[in-house]
Amino acid sequence: MTEPYLPPHPMVATPDEAKAFLEAHPHLNYFEILFTSMTGVPRGKRLRRHELLPIFEYGRFLPGSILVVDTLGADCEETGLVWEDGDADRIARPVPGTLTEAPWLGDDVGQVMLSLYELDGTPNDLDPRHVLQRVLDRYAADGLTPVVACELEYYLVDIERGHDGQLMPAKGFNTGETPRGIQVYGLPEVEAHGEFFRTLWETADVMNIPLEGAISEFAPGQVELTLKHKPDALRACDDAVLYKRMAKGVALSLGIEATFMAKPWADRAGSGFHVHISVADKDGKNLCASDDPQGSDLLKTMIGGMKDHLADCMGILAPGANSFKRFKANSYAPVGLTWGVNNRTVSLRVTAGPSHTRHVEHRVAGADANPYLVMAAILACAHHGITNKTDPGPAVVGNGYEVAAKTGANLPTNWYAAVDYLDKSATLRDYLGDRFVDMYVKVKRTEQARFYEEVTSLDYDWYLRNA
């Protein structure tokens, strides 16, 4: 047997897992290995069967620059991790429980998720999984465990654009018709994409992703499915990343596309990433539970922390230029520093339900955001609230959009301001790490420069004859 390059680590899968999987799946000949960088885009390699076991025995070398590429996969030289670093290798190691089949890629293809470590085995502090674990360690030190669920909205669209080059909602599999009208919670709309949902659920079961029911959301072609809550926030985010990848792959295999873009159409609902959070003690008791519909005192301090630092988080919750087009009044995307009970017009909603299930739904992030970093940021703020017993102030009753407009307690409204808030946040620097925040800000400022230097057809429409 090959001697392991690094000693065992609790966050790293063992060679025995790979051996058992290979024995049980002799038909798999190819494996995609994937790593999720700051931007949330999975990147990696496709390997042959004989290359899989060595990854579990001693890892796979990957260039450190992959940690800080932009959304399009280009180097961000400003980080100092390209030329100054010699683009030095780090070692990628497999994540337990993520070695599965990948049915949409073919009957002979599997996949496994990786995390990056330094060559001495230290977790790399720019890997989003390790950034989240850093926050979870703060909870563990206090005898607390976050219990979370991820809920993603997205659109199913045609691969081909319309005659005017515009994006088109995917035609129904059973009708061949393009969906029209909002039809929120419409069953015919769900049934029209029944083939997609059936394949998606079957694939999720193969991959051990706890995917639950589907609804037609607040626009033609928009859907929402929830991942089951679990007392393991890191694994919940693994599930969310793998689910997004799976949904895109299943859709393409059926001749359509799934897009998690935050705002594909200006006049239709944006797509959000809602995170449901409670906190349990060492015995698994929900510390947010209360007969009071507003929740326990601990839940209120969590909300206080999240509310106080919501602006600081926006550079992570809304990671790109398109992200900010989602935030409009009366759109089901929140715009203010608000919280309430059973109220979808606020940013932080204590949900309805039995007292033992009491929790908060964080409604701000877009579906385009990196699940690990969203979870790290909001759990950091919640923990800060618990530690400092932060008072959230009175709950909003009624229209949260009107309250935000009257009080002026609004979220940052553009990408530049959001990144500046993050850069200056002492709280997020404490929880996520100075080096991570510095590098993330450099990546985002590089993206801003690259995005806005492009001259588009909109420039011609506005300025060609009007300048």
Side-chain angles (χ1 to χ4, degrees):
M1 173 181 172
T2 305
E3 287 297 319
Y5 179 77
L6 294 170
H9 189 284
M11 292 176 65
V12 176
T14 66
D16 288 343
E17 181 178 336
K19 291 175 183 177
F21 185 86
L22 289 169
E23 184 176 354
H25 299 84
H27 59 289
L28 296 182
N29 293 317
Y30 310 101
F31 290 88
E32 293 199 348
I33 59 173
L34 56 122
F35 162 76
T36 306
S37 66
M38 289 181 180
T39 60
V41 180
R43 302 185 185 279
K45 298 182 177 184
R46 179 173 285 206
L47 305 179
R48 299 184 67 187
R49 181 183 177 92
H50 68 270
E51 296 178 276
L52 181 70
L53 184 56
I55 294 174
F56 285 75
E57 291 176 331
Y58 48 82
R60 183 88 180 194
F61 293 104
L62 291 177
S65 59
I66 197 174
L67 289 154
V68 289
V69 293
D70 70 9
T71 298
L72 297 182
D75 284 338
C76 293
E77 297 177 10
E78 293 80 359
T79 62
L81 288 181
V82 186
W83 311 123
E84 295 89 334
D85 187 57
D87 202 6
D89 277 338
R90 272 66 177 180
I91 191 160
R93 305 185 75 184
V95 175
T98 63
L99 176 57
T100 67
E101 296 177 80
W104 70 91
L105 296 174
D107 294 337
D108 57 353
V109 183
Q111 68 174 19
V112 65
M113 181 178 280
L114 307 177
S115 246
L116 258 62
Y117 295 78
E118 300 299 337
L119 300 187
D120 64 359
T122 305
N124 183 281
D125 59 357
L126 303 181
D127 182 321
R129 295 186 81 254
H130 298 316
V131 174
L132 173 54
Q133 186 60 54
R134 175 185 170 118
V135 176
L136 296 176
D137 288 344
R138 302 276 282 262
Y139 280 86
D142 293 337
L144 303 174
T145 300
V147 180
V148 304
C150 299
E151 185 180 282
L152 284 153
E153 300 166 337
Y154 55 101
Y155 279 91
L156 298 175
V157 300
D158 277 345
I159 291 178
E160 295 185 3
R161 302 288 176 89
H163 68 278
D164 55 357
Q166 294 298 305
L167 204 61
M168 298 289 292
K171 296 180 178 67
F173 288 104
N174 61 348
T175 65
E177 298 176 354
T178 299
R180 302 184 187 281
I182 293 175
Q183 298 294 353
V184 65
Y185 281 82
L187 285 173
E189 285 65 36
V190 173
E191 292 156 6
H193 295 298
E195 186 176 351
F196 169 76
F197 292 123
R198 184 178 297 109
T199 307
L200 189 70
W201 282 316
E202 290 172 351
T203 306
D205 290 346
V206 168
M207 296 176 63
N208 298 314
I209 294 175
L211 188 60
E212 301 202 305
I215 65 167
S216 172
E217 257 293 348
F218 201 64
Q222 190 184 39
V223 301
E224 179 186 81
L225 295 91
T226 301
L227 294 158
K228 189 175 177 62
H229 70 277
K230 57 177 54 179
D232 184 343
L234 186 60
R235 180 63 208 194
C237 291
D238 290 340
D239 290 342
V241 169
L242 293 171
Y243 164 52
K244 288 179 70 172
R245 172 175 157 83
M246 174 184 72
K248 292 177 182 179
V250 167
L252 281 172
S253 74
L254 296 173
I256 61 175
E257 280 195 84
T259 177
F260 293 82
M261 184 177 178
K263 190 73 170 176
W265 286 276
D267 59 348
R268 300 178 188 177
S271 292
F273 171 32
H274 303 157
V275 182
H276 296 253
I277 311 164
S278 61
V279 170
D281 65 14
K282 57 183 175 59
D283 297 317
K285 177 184 175 183
N286 181 8
L287 297 177
C288 299
S290 173
D291 291 332
D292 180 351
Q294 293 190 0
S296 68
D297 289 342
L298 181 131
L299 178 56
K300 291 170 190 168
T301 64
M302 290 167 57
I303 293 169
M306 290 188 286
K307 178 171 170 278
D308 271 11
H309 297 287
L310 194 48
D312 295 352
C313 295
M314 286 299 290
I316 288 172
L317 306 181
N322 178 262
S323 310
F324 288 87
K325 296 179 179 181
R326 176 173 155 258
F327 299 106
K328 292 183 178 180
N330 306 321
S331 68
Y332 290 106
V335 298
L337 306 176
T338 52
W339 78 283
V341 177
N342 195 18
N343 186 340
R344 287 184 171 84
T345 69
V346 298
S347 295
L348 304 164
R349 177 178 79 112
V350 179
T351 62
S355 60
H356 70 276
T357 68
R358 202 74 70 213
H359 69 276
V360 63
E361 177 192 26
H362 197 295
R363 295 177 53 81
V364 181
D368 55 342
N370 183 325
Y372 299 113
L373 300 184
V374 168
M375 192 70 71
I378 63 181
L379 287 181
C381 297
H383 185 270
H384 190 268
I386 294 170
T387 303
N388 293 280
K389 297 181 170 54
T390 307
D391 181 356
V396 168
V397 177
N399 190 337
Y401 295 110
E402 289 183 355
V403 171
K406 288 177 181 177
T407 62
N410 294 309
L411 300 172
T413 56
N414 70 76
W415 193 13
Y416 286 95
V419 173
D420 287 344
Y421 268 100
L422 173 61
D423 191 22
K424 297 171 184 175
S425 175
T427 297
L428 289 181
R429 284 182 172 277
D430 175 33
Y431 278 86
L432 308 186
D434 272 323
R435 183 168 181 261
F436 171 79
V437 172
D438 286 341
M439 291 295 184
Y440 184 88
V441 166
K442 286 178 180 178
V443 169
K444 289 301 161 183
R445 286 179 174 157
T446 300
E447 287 190 341
Q448 289 167 347
R450 291 171 178 173
F451 185 89
Y452 286 110
E453 72 184 6
E454 293 289 334
V455 177
T456 70
S457 61
L458 189 62
D459 290 88
Y460 300 138
D461 293 343
W462 275 64
Y463 304 117
L464 185 66
R465 293 176 177 150
N466 298 314

